[in-house]
Amino acid sequence: MNKYLILSEEVRAGMAKGLPIVALESTIISHGMPYPQNVAMAREVEQIIRDNGAVPATIAIVAGKIKIGLSDEELEMFGSSKGIAKVSRRDLADVIASQKLGATTVATTMIAAQLAGIKFFVTGGLGGVHRGWEHNLDISADLDELAQTGVAVICAGAKSILDLPATLEYLETKGVPVIGYQTQNLPAFFTRDSGLPLALSSDDLAHIAAMIKIKWELGLNGGIVVANPIPEQDALAPDYINGIIESAVKEAEEKGIKGKDITPFLLGKIVEISGGKSLEANIKLVKNNAKIGATLAVQYFNQQ
Ligand code: PSU
Ligand code: MN
């Protein structure tokens, strides 16, 4: 194991037994949802992963180490403390060197998972190419991480706070498979269908598990996105939520919010304007991803 990693007892025991481990990110807790719903979500998602035969490993930076698996107290701390750093690839070494508390994004959770030998990672939504990239080149480091780091990411697509067509084009250029589970189109987080067709789609987790294995056995490095739409009964009406997203994006532009602050700002605004409706949907979709992600990880490890 890399000297900067510390495994929790649960993760260590799971690995010793040969159980599949499923990584979870901490930025979704510290910067993606308000307290205390964020902590409740984190605990429930971990339990769903256990209930489906895998071992959860929430990842974060604490005291100069990358922790693979957080304690209950640490989940509480990441959910309730102010001033936790949002750590992407660029920031990782600095936050470890300065012994700060750091929350891992999709990109850094993938990096940590790969260092720990974890192949599956469940989250809500990916970062992507931001709207207005023609003028301000904001492309999440998540996308280049998917191009190079061998972890399968189970998510509900990406939010339409992003330029979704550009995000898909970018992933295609980088050769990242985006496979729709029980959908032909890219899911748009709060809604099931962005209207953007995906090249890859399957209704069968055994097929997806086989495809992941073959990709890596061929030496095709890099990640895979398994795009799992929010359950029908939890999805928000497209006109309703897209209107809210438009006003949040407009406000971010007016306030000149940029760089790593923009995604947390937009997520917070959407919760505020929707009076918490978006938060409920967000929690539901993450739980659904946990169930599918753990099941997929189990199927992957049960293959010959
Ligand atoms: N999208 C969400 N919820 C989130 C994030 C994205 O719906 O919490 C977080 C993830 O941690 C993701 C990060 O990796 O935001 C992307 O930030 P940026 O756009 O600055 O790369
Ligand atoms: Mn960015």
Side-chain angles (χ1 to χ4, degrees):
M1 270 297 153
N2 186 285
K3 67 178 185 180
Y4 295 105
L5 298 185
I6 302 186
L7 308 189
S8 71
E9 212 28 69
E10 182 182 17
V11 170
R12 196 190 306 273
M15 283 181 176
K17 283 189 206 148
L19 292 172
I21 315 291
V22 174
L24 297 161
E25 61 158 308
S26 42
T27 294
I28 192 176
I29 306 172
S30 60
H31 293 72
M33 290 183 190
Y35 181 79
Q37 291 94 334
N38 53 0
V39 177
M41 178 280 305
R43 289 182 179 138
E44 284 166 18
V45 164
E46 287 200 343
Q47 193 52 45
I48 292 169
I49 287 174
R50 292 184 193 105
D51 293 344
N52 286 277
V55 176
T58 305
I59 293 176
I61 324 293
V62 181
K65 300 277 183 190
I66 303 173
K67 294 203 99 175
I68 311 291
L70 299 186
S71 68
D72 215 49
E73 297 72 44
E74 286 167 331
L75 289 180
E76 179 73 27
M77 178 173 74
F78 274 90
S80 60
S81 308
K82 297 266 171 279
I84 290 177
K86 173 181 163 190
V87 183
S88 196
R89 171 176 272 267
R90 170 196 59 197
D91 317 297
L92 185 56
D94 177 63
V95 171
I96 291 174
S98 48
Q99 311 246 325
K100 287 191 235 162
L101 284 179
T104 55
T105 61
V106 169
T108 35
T109 305
M110 290 179 74
I111 294 169
Q114 175 153 284
L115 286 171
I118 299 172
K119 295 190 167 351
F120 289 84
F121 163 26
V122 161
T123 189
L126 297 177
V129 179
H130 279 264
R131 295 191 199 179
W133 56 270
E134 305 91 325
H135 314 291
N136 176 34
L137 191 62
D138 186 347
I139 301 174
S140 173
D142 294 353
L143 300 186
D144 277 50
E145 207 57 59
L146 282 161
Q148 61 184 314
T149 301
V151 175
V153 183
I154 297 84
C155 63
K159 284 201 177 72
S160 58
I161 56 175
L162 302 168
D163 182 334
L164 293 180
T167 300
L168 267 189
E169 289 291 351
Y170 194 89
L171 288 168
E172 178 174 304
T173 300
K174 297 284 180 173
V176 177
V178 180
I179 185 158
Y181 176 59
Q182 297 183 334
T183 181
Q184 311 273 340
N185 287 355
L186 179 71
F189 201 86
F190 298 121
T191 58
R192 289 175 57 83
D193 187 355
S194 65
L196 298 167
L198 291 173
L200 313 177
S201 152
S202 175
D203 295 345
D204 180 9
L205 291 180
H207 171 79
I208 299 177
M211 169 265 207
I212 293 172
K213 184 161 181 267
I214 293 166
K215 172 177 153 81
W216 288 331
E217 283 179 348
L218 286 169
L220 299 173
N221 295 329
I224 293 113
V225 178
V226 179
N228 180 36
I230 183 170
E232 195 95 55
Q233 68 271 19
D234 304 317
L236 299 179
D239 289 349
Y240 167 75
I241 193 65
N242 289 331
I244 290 176
I245 289 171
E246 292 298 336
S247 23
V249 170
K250 195 158 157 265
E251 187 169 337
E253 267 166 29
E254 285 163 6
K255 293 198 160 139
I257 293 166
K258 287 203 166 58
K260 69 197 237 179
D261 298 330
I262 187 148
T263 299
F265 175 85
L266 292 173
L267 299 177
K269 264 291 148 201
I270 293 166
V271 173
E272 186 188 309
I273 305 173
S274 73
K277 277 212 180 101
S278 70
L279 179 60
E280 265 174 54
N282 197 343
I283 292 169
K284 290 275 174 53
L285 67 85
V286 180
K287 289 184 180 175
N288 184 46
N289 293 341
K291 180 168 160 232
I292 299 303
T295 308
L296 177 62
V298 169
Q299 296 222 9
Y300 176 91
F301 284 99
N302 287 342
Q303 294 175 96
Q304 294 313 307

